[in-house]
Amino acid sequence: MADAAGKKVQQIIDDNAVGMSPALCLAPPLVFSKSYCPHCKATKKTLNNLGADYTALELDNECTSLCPPDSPARIAGADEQRRAAECSALQDALEQLTGQRTVPNILIQQKHIGGNSDLQALFKSGKLADLLRDSGALKA
């Protein structure tokens, strides 16, 4: 399950850049999130307040649809415990790819920048707006 989850997370990251200019390395920010997490809400609020165009992937709401077709969570009648295991596998894969298992797990231009405290530090330093502008997520 871990290998399939790792491939799926990498595919999500890669697909986030589809349609963006490879020459400019533009990709909208990607936030791996959970809908009930206060730190995730703070991250999305900051991005929204800046007017950023970003993608938020709510792991708790969308886990089953992200799982491989042969995954137990995709089988009709899968119980909550199996679904939680699938979500946990996705977070394990995020940890392998980014070094961070917790959410929010934020990537800008396909580069891991960290979690909410990292995003807030970038915001307070004035660097977040520049990163977002460089990624094409903010209009000049």
Side-chain angles (χ1 to χ4, degrees):
M1 178 173 12
D3 187 40
K7 288 179 184 175
K8 189 63 181 178
V9 168
Q10 186 61 58
Q11 180 182 349
I12 291 166
I13 293 168
D14 293 343
D15 288 351
N16 189 55
V18 170
M20 302 305 287
S21 170
L24 298 175
C25 297
L26 295 179
L30 178 60
V31 179
F32 290 93
S33 175
K34 290 188 179 177
S35 62
Y36 57 83
C37 169
H39 303 292
C40 297
K41 289 178 182 180
T43 289
K44 292 179 280 189
K45 182 178 180 179
T46 298
L47 292 171
N48 288 335
N49 287 345
L50 288 170
D53 179 27
Y54 66 95
T55 301
L57 188 65
E58 305 295 344
L59 295 178
D60 58 319
N61 293 335
E62 301 183 36
C63 179
T64 302
S65 66
L66 299 175
C67 297
D70 59 345
S71 154
R74 295 290 295 268
I75 299 169
D79 61 12
E80 192 62 30
Q81 189 174 26
R82 284 185 177 171
R83 185 174 177 274
E86 293 289 342
C87 289
S88 182
L90 288 173
Q91 283 189 258
D92 290 344
L94 275 170
E95 182 177 25
Q96 291 296 312
L97 291 169
T98 67
Q100 177 186 326
R101 188 179 195 288
T102 57
V103 293
N105 197 324
I106 307 160
L107 293 93
I108 298 179
Q109 291 186 291
Q110 296 185 301
K111 179 184 174 203
H112 181 249
I113 66 156
N116 181 58
S117 58
D118 302 296
L119 180 111
Q120 298 304 332
L122 287 169
F123 174 70
K124 288 177 182 170
S125 72
K127 294 178 183 176
L128 180 59
D130 292 336
L131 280 173
L132 294 172
R133 218 172 277 107
D134 292 346
S135 75
L138 282 184
K139 305 301 178 222

